[in-house]
Amino acid sequence: MTKTTKSILIGAAVLLSAPVHASVAEPDNQFIRTAASTQNFQTDFTQAAEKTVNAVVCIKSYTSRQQGNMFGSQNPFDMFDFFFGPQQRPQQRQPRQQQKKSEPVQSGLGSGVIITADGYIVTNNHVIENSDKLEVLLNDNSTYEARIIGTDEATDLALLKIDATGLSPIVFGDSETVKIGEWVLAVGNPFGFNSTVTAGIVSAKARSLGQNGRNGQMGIESFIQTDAALNPGNSGGALVNLRGELIGINSAIYSNTGSYSGFSFAIPTTIVRKVMTDLKQYGTVQRAMLGCTVAELDAKLAKEKDITATKSGMLVDEVSDMSTAKELGLQKNDVIVALNDVDIHNFAQLTEQLNKFRPGDSISITYYRDNKRYTKTGILRNSQGNTQITKKGDFSDLGCAFMKLSQELKQRLGISNGVQVAGLKSGPVRDAGVKDGFIIMEVNGRAVNSSEDMEDVFNQVMKGNDDKVLVLSGIYPTGKKYYYAVNLSEEQ
């Protein structure tokens, strides 16, 4: 035992400091020589860096702000509130004669990855959200203005397009084959330093950051964790293996200071590839739902439920009607342990696998019931319980419901018509600054009294050739009046 331990320690020292000479012939040293020549110990990052830097771009976001009040001091609202909702003013109101829009100013800096030779680029949603203009700087210093093809807040991904050809797209790798301890490179633009490469290892896979259900959506909960240094500006950049293949999009750091302090996190390519395909093909992400609420099984919970066949998996609590889980016959206290033969030990792994599929895809579920193992196959559905494709520009994409007003509420507020915003979630209405409970009295100058009225105005705007904007005027239950502009330009 002593001899074996000694040889391993020597082997580690040799690998780090000096080559092994062929003249050494002891059995333990023979083992060391074999290990040192194995490709798994290769730490030459130059080829991977060369393959990656030209595929990673710098993304600068610009924002315009209206200066002054074009309506004068008698108007009950100013244009900043009108377009962005009530919030803290960035500056004092300017005299009336200053009515010009300011030039766009740089408001953010991030990274992106070229995925096609004709100019499609993937980045993080948080890199480009709320921007009025996007500028892409390539590694050869050429600059392009980018347009947004689609965004997905739940997975924090966005697809951009620049008008260019002959670019150097990155090669996609398979994030599921990545191993803990494997060397990786992070390439991006930290603090604006273009084409910066840092190295580290994969510290963990399927890492959850506790953001599930963000804004009512099934968010990304299965990050690749690495100790490669990331800093502000790296967001949206590439995480690659030593072959220069993309295995993740860098998205977050774990830090008390806002700068790198040990760990960073990337969205795996199994999710990136699917989301980018959806955004390009449909304009929005097609989400498949299993249709049941679950909890992570541990030893304590297994003992309480008298489950002896497994100590990990997803314990089914409730099953929704019109769902895949219902079709498969899943029941309370069943334990899901695999999807399509991929083992499931925690919620992060479950969401990663589901994010790979669309409604209508076939999937096999392996589970335990009464300590007996079963595998069944079913068809995944969407949140509405069907397999239809979700189209960009649907009325439901506004992200809220519009409820009829009670006669009592009308009388108390002294109004004769309106609909009340309820169940607000991610979408253009919330993005405009609207809060739950807001009562919409008019949309684009037309009085509304029902959800059907709202949908009719929405459809007219989407079919027209004018700006895709819903101008909402109304009142909160407190009696305060507000005006909002809901931008639908990305919902075409």
Side-chain angles (χ1 to χ4, degrees):
M1 179 65 68
T2 303
K3 185 176 182 181
T4 303
T5 303
K6 181 179 179 181
S7 68
I8 293 175
L9 291 174
I10 293 174
V14 170
L15 289 173
L16 293 173
S17 59
V20 177
H21 299 289
S23 59
V24 181
E26 295 181 12
D28 287 341
N29 288 330
Q30 179 65 40
F31 169 76
I32 296 170
R33 181 164 56 244
T34 304
S37 63
T38 302
Q39 288 186 352
N40 290 339
F41 288 87
Q42 178 185 351
T43 55
D44 182 1
F45 306 138
T46 57
Q47 292 185 5
E50 289 172 359
K51 290 179 179 179
T52 308
V53 289
N54 290 323
V56 176
V57 302
C58 179
I59 299 176
K60 298 178 181 179
S61 61
Y62 294 83
T63 303
S64 300
R65 287 290 182 264
Q66 186 76 23
Q67 295 186 11
N69 181 3
M70 64 186 293
F71 292 104
S73 59
Q74 299 302 313
N75 199 63
F77 61 95
D78 74 12
M79 287 302 290
F80 194 84
D81 280 350
F82 183 73
F83 283 108
F84 299 98
Q87 50 187 288
Q88 183 70 34
R89 305 291 198 280
Q91 58 186 28
Q92 295 294 322
R93 183 176 300 182
Q94 301 295 318
R96 182 177 178 178
Q97 64 269 21
Q98 295 183 9
Q99 297 179 7
K100 291 183 179 180
K101 274 191 175 182
S102 62
E103 289 296 320
V105 294
Q106 186 173 336
S107 57
L109 180 71
S111 304
V113 182
I114 300 171
I115 58 176
T116 67
D118 60 348
Y120 282 95
I121 295 170
V122 58
T123 186
N124 285 140
N125 178 63
H126 74 259
V127 169
I128 55 90
E129 65 181 345
N130 301 322
S131 61
D132 297 318
K133 175 184 174 183
L134 293 171
E135 187 177 271
V136 171
L137 175 66
L138 304 189
N139 192 44
D140 63 2
N141 288 329
S142 56
T143 302
Y144 298 85
E145 189 165 335
R147 65 182 185 274
I148 299 173
I149 301 300
T151 62
D152 184 49
E153 184 180 4
T155 56
D156 192 26
L157 291 170
L159 181 64
L160 310 181
K161 180 70 168 64
I162 61 175
D163 293 328
T165 58
L167 301 180
S168 302
I170 202 158
V171 175
F172 270 73
D174 184 358
S175 57
E176 289 194 343
T177 64
V178 173
K179 297 180 180 179
I180 296 174
E182 181 177 339
W183 281 105
V184 289
L185 301 183
V187 185
N189 305 281
F191 303 116
F193 295 110
N194 292 348
S195 304
T196 296
V197 180
T198 55
I201 63 168
V202 174
S203 306
K205 295 178 63 177
R207 179 69 76 195
S208 171
L209 299 183
Q211 300 179 80
N212 178 57
R214 178 179 53 191
N215 303 321
Q217 300 187 50
M218 185 176 66
I220 169 65
E221 276 298 300
S222 187
F223 292 93
I224 298 173
Q225 179 181 322
T226 173
D227 63 355
L230 296 187
N231 283 292
N234 271 116
S235 290
L239 186 71
V240 300
N241 57 26
L242 291 192
R243 294 183 294 277
E245 298 169 341
L246 184 71
I247 60 170
I249 295 296
N250 297 317
S251 180
I253 59 176
Y254 188 85
S255 172
N256 293 323
T257 65
S259 296
Y260 175 75
S261 61
F263 293 112
S264 49
F265 302 89
I267 304 167
T269 52
T270 51
I271 295 174
V272 174
R273 188 194 299 271
K274 189 261 183 183
V275 171
M276 291 303 100
T277 301
D278 281 357
L279 291 179
K280 185 178 180 182
Q281 186 170 349
Y282 306 109
T284 188
V285 178
Q286 307 299 312
R287 285 197 166 82
M289 304 290 179
L290 193 54
C292 60
T293 58
V294 293
E296 290 186 6
L297 184 70
D298 55 24
K300 181 179 179 181
L301 192 55
K303 185 176 181 180
E304 291 177 2
K305 300 292 184 179
D306 195 28
I307 298 171
T308 58
T310 182
K311 293 295 189 294
S312 65
M314 304 309 301
L315 183 69
V316 176
D317 183 33
E318 294 182 1
V319 177
S320 303
D321 291 335
M322 299 174 60
S323 67
T324 305
K326 189 79 169 181
E327 175 192 348
L328 294 172
L330 292 181
Q331 300 176 8
K332 184 180 179 68
N333 292 332
D334 287 348
V335 182
I336 300 171
V337 293
L339 268 67
N340 276 16
D341 298 324
V342 177
D343 290 341
I344 302 296
H345 300 290
N346 51 48
F347 190 81
Q349 292 173 330
L350 176 65
T351 56
E352 179 176 0
Q353 293 306 310
L354 284 176
N355 270 305
K356 293 164 52 179
F357 298 99
R358 300 182 180 89
D361 288 345
S362 176
I363 192 170
S364 66
I365 307 291
T366 301
Y367 63 95
Y368 284 99
R369 177 182 297 167
D370 297 328
N371 295 313
K372 295 180 180 179
R373 188 179 177 98
Y374 300 90
T375 298
K376 292 185 178 180
T377 301
I379 302 298
L380 287 169
R381 307 184 185 191
N382 58 28
S383 59
Q384 304 301 313
N386 58 56
T387 59
Q388 295 178 1
I389 294 296
T390 301
K391 296 181 180 179
K392 193 175 186 181
D394 286 349
F395 179 65
S396 59
D397 289 344
L398 288 176
C400 64
F402 302 100
M403 311 299 292
K404 287 188 176 181
L405 302 181
S406 66
Q407 195 62 34
E408 178 184 358
L409 183 57
K410 289 181 182 178
Q411 291 176 353
R412 179 168 68 82
L413 295 174
I415 59 178
S416 59
N417 67 280
V419 293
Q420 191 165 32
V421 174
L424 191 64
K425 60 181 182 179
S426 178
V429 172
R430 192 188 69 177
D431 292 342
V434 178
K435 310 297 182 186
D436 260 320
F438 180 62
I439 297 168
I440 303 170
M441 298 173 62
E442 290 185 357
V443 182
N444 292 6
R446 171 180 164 179
V448 291
N449 257 317
S450 65
S451 180
E452 290 75 16
D453 290 343
M454 292 292 301
E455 186 169 7
D456 186 42
V457 177
F458 174 86
N459 290 335
Q460 288 181 15
V461 169
M462 297 307 294
K463 291 177 182 177
N465 296 321
D466 297 330
D467 292 339
K468 303 294 189 292
V469 177
L470 296 179
V471 180
L472 312 181
S473 62
I475 189 172
Y476 280 98
T478 59
K480 192 164 179 108
K481 293 182 178 180
Y482 274 94
Y483 299 80
Y484 298 97
V486 180
N487 181 14
L488 305 177
S489 60
E490 293 185 8
E491 305 301 309
Q492 299 180 53

